[in-house]
Amino acid sequence: MIVLLFSGMMAGLTTGCSDDPTEENYYTFTGEMMSEYLQSRAEFSKYATIVERAGLMKQLSAYGHYTCFAPTNDAIDEYLKSRGLSSVDELSKADCDTIARTHLINNMYTTSEMYDGTLTTANMNKRYIEVTHGLDADQNAVVILNRMANVIFSMQDDSVENGIMQPVNAVLQSSSRMLPDVLKDNPRISLFFQALSKTGLIDSLYAYRDPTYNKDKYPRYKYTSHVNKETATAPDEKKQGFTAFVPTDSVLNAKYGITSLEALYRKACEIYDATYPEDAGQPYHSIDSLTNRKNPLNRLVAYHILSRDVIGWNYLTPLNNIGILTTAMNPEDWYETLLPYTMLKFERLTVLKYAGGDVLGQRYINRCYNDNYQIHGAMVSQTVEGNVENSAINGRYFYVNDLLAFSTDTRDIVHNCRIRMDMSTIFPELMTENIRLNGNVKMQDPDYDETGKYGRNYYFPDGYLKNVKVNGYFIYRRPHDYYDSYEGDEMNMFGNYDITFKLPPVPYEGDWQIRLGYAQEPTRGIAQIYFDGVPQGIPLDMTKALNDPSILGADFKNDYTTMSAEQLSTDQKVLKNKGYYRGAAGGYRYNQGTTTRVAFASQANTFRIVICTVHIDPNKDHFLRVRSVSAKKGNDNELMLDYLELVPKSVYGVTDEGAMEDML
C-alpha cells in the first residue's frame, strides 16, 4: 500500500491560506487504476461499457491525474429512458464518446477543492462543469454538478493510482447550442430575450470558432525571464465568446413595474437620454429603430453583454484573490461591453467596513459603497434554476438582481475612480480560452517544461488578439503566488519587440493619467512608449528600481507602514513629481514556500510609472505602443506588462490640493 501526500497538486486552485494539508488531502493508493475501478464494480458496468466503446479505457489504464465523475447504472438508465432508449447498445459511438468525455477531467479534484462557480479545468469534451453545493436526501452536504448531479457522499474522494473517483447520481449533460438559443429557452427572461431579438444584437452572439486558425503553424517558444527558464505555446484554438447578465422578468416587474417591451424601452430612454442627450432628438431615437446602435434600448441591452466568455461565477473577479489584501480592498476587475466605449466594474465584496448590508463573498456589478456614496449595484447570482441551462458552447449567462445601466451615476460616480486592470483582462481572448489564471500558483515548473503539468504559458501570434499589433513574442506567464506580479500573472514581450494595443475606454472626457505597474529586473531592457502615435517622455528603463540614484536612491524606505501620514504624503508627492508611484499597497506576494506576505508598496522593485497624462476623448479608440530601444541584449530584450491604471484627475489631482491618493 502506497500513501501519497498531495498538497495543492491541482492546477489552478489553492485550498486555503495554510500550507498544512487537511485530512482530505491524504490519499491511500492501493495500486488500482481508474480502468480497473470501473471494470471491477458492478454499479458502474454501464459507464465502463460506454468508456470502452469510446476507446478511452486504455488511457484510463495508464499513468495520469484524472477525475472521473462516474455515473451509476441507475443514473445511466434514467438518461437512456429520457432519450427513449433501453440499452447502452443503442447509443452510437459518437454518443459514447460524448458521454465518456463529459465525465472525465485531466486533472485531480477532491470535493474540498470544488468551489462554487466552475472547475478550472474543462472536461475532455472541452466544456466546463458548474459547481454548487447542497444537501442530499440524507442531509449530507454534497457537491452538485451542473445543477443536475450529486457527487455521491458515501463514494466521494475515492482514489486510484491515476486519479480520483467522484461517482455521481445522474448523467452530466452540456448544451451544444449557441448562447442565443440557450437564452431563448428560459421563460423567466422572456423580456430580455425579446429586447435582444428586436435590437438585432442577437445576431452578433452566434460567433464562435475561427476555422482558419491552426496552432500547428506556431512552434513552441523557449525563453528566460530573469532566472526562470520557461516555454510558451500558441493557444489551441481561436474562439469568440460572450457573457450576458440578465435581469429576470420578475426582477424587472418588482423593481420598475416593467412588464412589456414598450415599458423597457421607456426605461432605457430615461437612462440613456441623460447619458447621451445629443441623441435624444435623432430619428433613431424611436421604438421603431431598435436596431440602431445609438437607440436607447439597443444601448441598454448591449451594456448587459461582454465580448468574452467568463467561464464561471468564480472567474468574474480574480480567481482565489491571488495576491490581493482582501481585508483592505475588494478584488475588482473591469471588462468592456458590447455598448461601445463602456465597461462594467466587477467587485467581490470582502471588506466588512463597506458592506452596507450587502453579502460578503458575493460578486457585484457597478457597486460603489464608501464614506461618500452608497450605490449597491447589481448582485450576480451564482447559478440559475436547476431546470434551465445557462451555458452554451460560445458563452453563458448569469442572473442579476437589477438592470445594468451606463447611467450618469455610473459614469460620474461609480467609474470616476482609479481603474486598475490586470493586463490579461484587457484582451477578451485570454478569458474565452481559459488562459488567464490557469495553473497551480504554488508549483514551479522544471526548466523549459513542456508537460504543462502545473499550467501553461502562452504566446499570441500577430493577428490572434483583436486590436493588437505584435512584432516579437507577446507572452502570458501563468500565475505564481510568489511572483512580483499583481494577481500572480504577467504579460511579457521578448525579442526585438514592438507592440501596439487598444486602451480600455474611459467613462468620460477629461485629463487622465495612464500608469503601468511592473517589477524591475536587471534582465529587462529599455522601451519607448507612445500614446496615439506620440512618444511619451524619455524611454522607460525597466532595469532601474525606486532606490536607483536617478529616482529616490537611499531615500527610499522599504517599510512604509512605519512612516507617519505626513511622511507618506511627502513620499508620494516626491515620487509623483518624478513620474512614479509605489506599488499597490493592496497587492502582495508570498515569499516562496511560506505564508509571509510582502506588499508591493514595500519593495523598491515593484512600482507604478506614469506613462503619460493626456486629455482623452471617451468616444474614440486610443492606442499604446511599446517599442524596444535597448541594444545591450541584442535581439533578446524583455518587457514586463503587469497591470494598467487609468486614473482621472479627480483622483491623481488630489495631491495638488495637499491631500494624498490612497495607496491601495
Side-chain angles (χ1 to χ4, degrees):
M1 182 176 291
I2 303 172
V3 179
L4 296 184
L5 171 63
F6 283 65
S7 179
M9 182 173 179
M10 191 193 71
L13 288 177
T14 58
T15 56
C17 294
S18 174
D19 285 338
D20 296 326
T22 59
E23 287 185 6
E24 294 90 343
N25 296 115
Y26 289 90
Y27 309 136
T28 301
F29 286 175
T30 61
E32 186 178 35
M33 302 300 280
M34 193 167 281
S35 57
E36 295 171 302
Y37 180 102
L38 293 173
Q39 292 168 330
S40 64
R41 289 162 174 79
E43 62 264 51
F44 302 111
S45 62
K46 295 183 179 181
Y47 180 65
T49 298
I50 290 171
V51 172
E52 190 70 61
R53 290 187 60 197
L56 292 172
M57 195 63 80
K58 184 177 181 180
Q59 184 173 345
L60 300 186
S61 302
Y63 174 78
H65 45 283
Y66 306 107
T67 302
C68 179
F69 298 105
T72 63
N73 288 348
D74 288 343
I76 289 179
D77 286 341
E78 285 296 316
Y79 170 76
L80 293 172
K81 182 179 178 181
S82 71
R83 292 189 53 184
L85 305 175
S86 58
S87 168
V88 293
D89 295 334
E90 298 176 58
L91 294 170
S92 68
K93 189 177 186 303
D95 288 334
C96 291
D97 187 74
T98 297
I99 295 169
R101 292 178 181 276
T102 295
H103 294 79
L104 290 168
I105 291 180
N106 194 10
N107 207 340
M108 293 173 65
Y109 291 93
T110 64
T111 52
S112 65
E113 295 165 327
M114 298 181 195
Y115 308 117
D116 283 341
T118 58
L119 297 179
T120 57
T121 305
N123 61 26
M124 291 188 182
N125 205 30
K126 297 185 178 180
R127 302 300 301 277
Y128 291 92
I129 296 176
E130 183 185 22
V131 174
T132 51
H133 292 81
L135 300 176
D136 64 13
D138 297 320
Q139 299 302 298
N140 296 308
V142 293
V143 173
I144 304 171
L145 307 176
N146 286 357
R147 289 164 286 112
M148 64 176 63
N150 293 353
V151 175
I152 300 171
F153 183 78
S154 61
M155 297 181 174
Q156 68 185 25
D157 298 327
D158 199 353
S159 298
V160 292
E161 281 282 5
N162 56 349
I164 303 177
M165 302 301 302
Q166 302 286 10
V168 293
N169 66 352
V171 172
L172 299 176
Q173 299 178 61
S174 298
S175 173
S176 58
R177 298 175 298 159
M178 296 292 189
L179 182 58
D181 304 316
V182 172
L183 287 162
K184 181 180 180 180
D185 276 356
N186 187 349
R188 299 173 181 87
I189 56 174
S190 60
L191 264 178
F192 182 87
F193 182 77
Q194 186 181 0
L196 181 68
S197 300
K198 294 293 185 181
T199 56
L201 289 167
I202 191 172
D203 297 335
S204 62
L205 302 188
Y206 281 100
Y208 180 36
R209 181 183 285 115
D210 181 353
T212 66
Y213 175 76
N214 180 7
K215 71 179 180 66
D216 295 334
K217 291 170 54 180
Y218 308 103
R220 183 180 294 271
Y221 176 62
K222 293 184 178 181
Y223 60 94
T224 301
S225 179
H226 187 36
V227 297
N228 298 287
K229 298 176 180 179
E230 301 173 351
T231 71
T233 60
D236 296 335
E237 296 181 291
K238 184 179 180 182
K239 296 186 294 187
Q240 284 184 262
F242 306 92
T243 307
F245 300 91
V246 185
T248 61
D249 294 349
S250 59
V251 164
L252 293 174
N253 187 14
K255 285 189 175 287
Y256 305 107
I258 294 173
T259 59
S260 66
L261 187 70
E262 291 76 13
L264 187 60
Y265 174 76
R266 289 194 297 271
K267 183 64 178 177
C269 292
E270 177 187 323
I271 296 166
Y272 288 103
D273 286 1
T275 308
Y276 303 100
E278 66 277 10
D279 294 324
Q282 299 300 320
Y284 47 77
H285 191 284
S286 164
I287 199 169
D288 298 320
S289 302
L290 298 181
T291 59
N292 190 289
R293 292 307 308 272
K294 293 185 177 181
N295 181 277
L297 186 61
N298 196 297
R299 280 174 161 150
L300 184 141
V301 175
Y303 194 60
H304 286 74
I305 304 172
L306 305 179
S307 57
R308 67 186 70 206
D309 182 4
V310 184
I311 67 168
W313 177 83
N314 48 332
Y315 279 81
L316 293 172
T317 55
L319 187 65
N320 297 326
N321 306 323
I322 298 170
I324 295 174
L325 191 61
T326 57
T327 56
M329 68 179 189
N330 294 329
E332 293 179 0
D333 274 324
W334 297 75
Y335 310 127
E336 290 190 58
T337 78
L338 294 192
L339 176 60
Y341 306 113
T342 66
M343 292 198 290
L344 291 174
K345 173 190 176 186
F346 289 81
E347 180 177 343
R348 183 168 185 253
L349 178 55
T350 61
V351 181
L352 182 61
K353 179 181 179 181
Y354 294 120
D358 291 332
V359 183
L360 286 174
Q362 295 298 310
R363 269 83 175 178
Y364 291 84
I365 300 175
N366 287 346
R367 186 178 187 274
C368 180
Y369 204 99
N370 52 42
D371 291 334
N372 299 314
Y373 301 103
Q374 289 78 48
I375 298 174
H376 293 272
M379 188 175 79
V380 185
S381 295
Q382 293 184 33
T383 187
V384 297
E385 297 87 357
N387 62 339
V388 297
E389 284 185 311
N390 72 327
S391 173
I393 61 173
N394 68 335
R396 65 208 65 241
Y397 69 91
F398 298 91
Y399 288 157
V400 286
N401 69 351
D402 203 348
L403 278 172
L404 307 180
F406 188 63
S407 63
T408 53
D409 277 355
T410 298
R411 181 191 65 195
D412 301 335
I413 298 175
V414 180
H415 292 190
N416 182 21
C417 63
R418 178 181 55 219
I419 298 172
R420 179 181 296 153
M421 300 179 68
D422 187 84
M423 284 298 298
S424 65
T425 66
I426 294 175
F427 313 107
E429 297 86 350
L430 272 69
M431 297 185 73
T432 297
E433 297 288 352
N434 195 30
I435 290 171
R436 184 194 178 214
L437 299 181
N438 85 91
N440 186 330
V441 300
K442 293 190 176 298
M443 299 302 294
Q444 175 68 50
D445 299 314
D447 286 353
Y448 299 124
D449 174 61
E450 296 189 11
T451 67
K453 180 178 180 180
Y454 302 121
R456 291 170 60 186
N457 306 308
Y458 294 83
Y459 73 88
F460 307 98
D462 186 41
Y464 185 91
L465 301 175
K466 186 177 180 181
N467 297 313
V468 180
K469 179 67 176 175
V470 177
N471 181 66
Y473 284 90
F474 188 32
I475 289 177
Y476 175 79
R477 298 182 68 205
R478 72 172 185 85
H480 298 76
D481 64 4
Y482 51 89
Y483 275 15
D484 283 324
S485 310
Y486 180 63
E487 299 186 11
D489 61 357
E490 62 189 63
M491 303 197 75
N492 289 29
M493 288 293 304
F494 287 92
N496 188 24
Y497 61 79
D498 190 344
I499 182 172
T500 301
F501 62 92
K502 185 171 76 70
L503 281 169
V506 298
Y508 58 82
E509 184 169 1
D511 293 338
W512 289 78
Q513 197 177 77
I514 302 174
R515 304 174 187 167
L516 174 66
Y518 65 94
Q520 169 270 343
E521 293 288 359
T523 55
R524 290 173 178 157
I526 302 172
Q528 179 65 57
I529 302 180
Y530 305 76
F531 174 81
D532 285 349
V534 179
Q536 301 298 312
I538 64 173
L540 165 62
D541 188 345
M542 283 197 171
T543 67
K544 293 182 178 180
L546 293 183
N547 57 7
D548 186 89
S550 65
I551 306 177
L552 283 187
D555 291 335
F556 179 80
K557 294 180 175 59
N558 287 322
D559 191 2
Y560 71 94
T561 61
T562 63
M563 297 166 67
S564 67
E566 183 178 356
Q567 288 173 324
L568 283 171
S569 179
T570 300
D571 179 80
Q572 187 178 88
K573 288 177 183 177
V574 171
L575 280 171
K576 178 185 175 183
N577 289 338
K578 292 177 176 289
Y580 297 89
Y581 289 81
R582 285 179 181 257
Y588 69 90
R589 64 166 173 83
Y590 287 120
N591 281 335
Q592 187 171 2
T594 75
T595 56
T596 302
R597 292 177 174 177
V598 181
F600 293 148
S602 68
Q603 299 186 130
N605 69 317
T606 49
F607 53 92
R608 294 165 283 176
I609 189 168
V610 178
I611 293 174
C612 57
T613 301
V614 288
H615 191 85
I616 296 182
D617 182 342
N619 297 310
K620 292 182 179 179
D621 290 335
H622 300 280
F623 292 85
L624 275 188
R625 179 188 178 193
V626 188
R627 180 177 65 88
S628 174
V629 293
S630 176
K632 65 180 182 180
K633 296 190 70 179
N635 197 36
D636 192 25
N637 301 293
E638 179 185 1
L639 169 83
M640 179 186 182
L641 300 169
D642 190 10
Y643 59 97
L644 200 68
E645 292 183 345
L646 307 174
V647 190
K649 190 172 184 178
S650 62
V651 175
Y652 75 77
V654 297
T655 54
D656 298 335
E657 307 301 323
M660 180 179 173
E661 182 182 332
D662 79 74
M663 294 179 62
L664 292 175

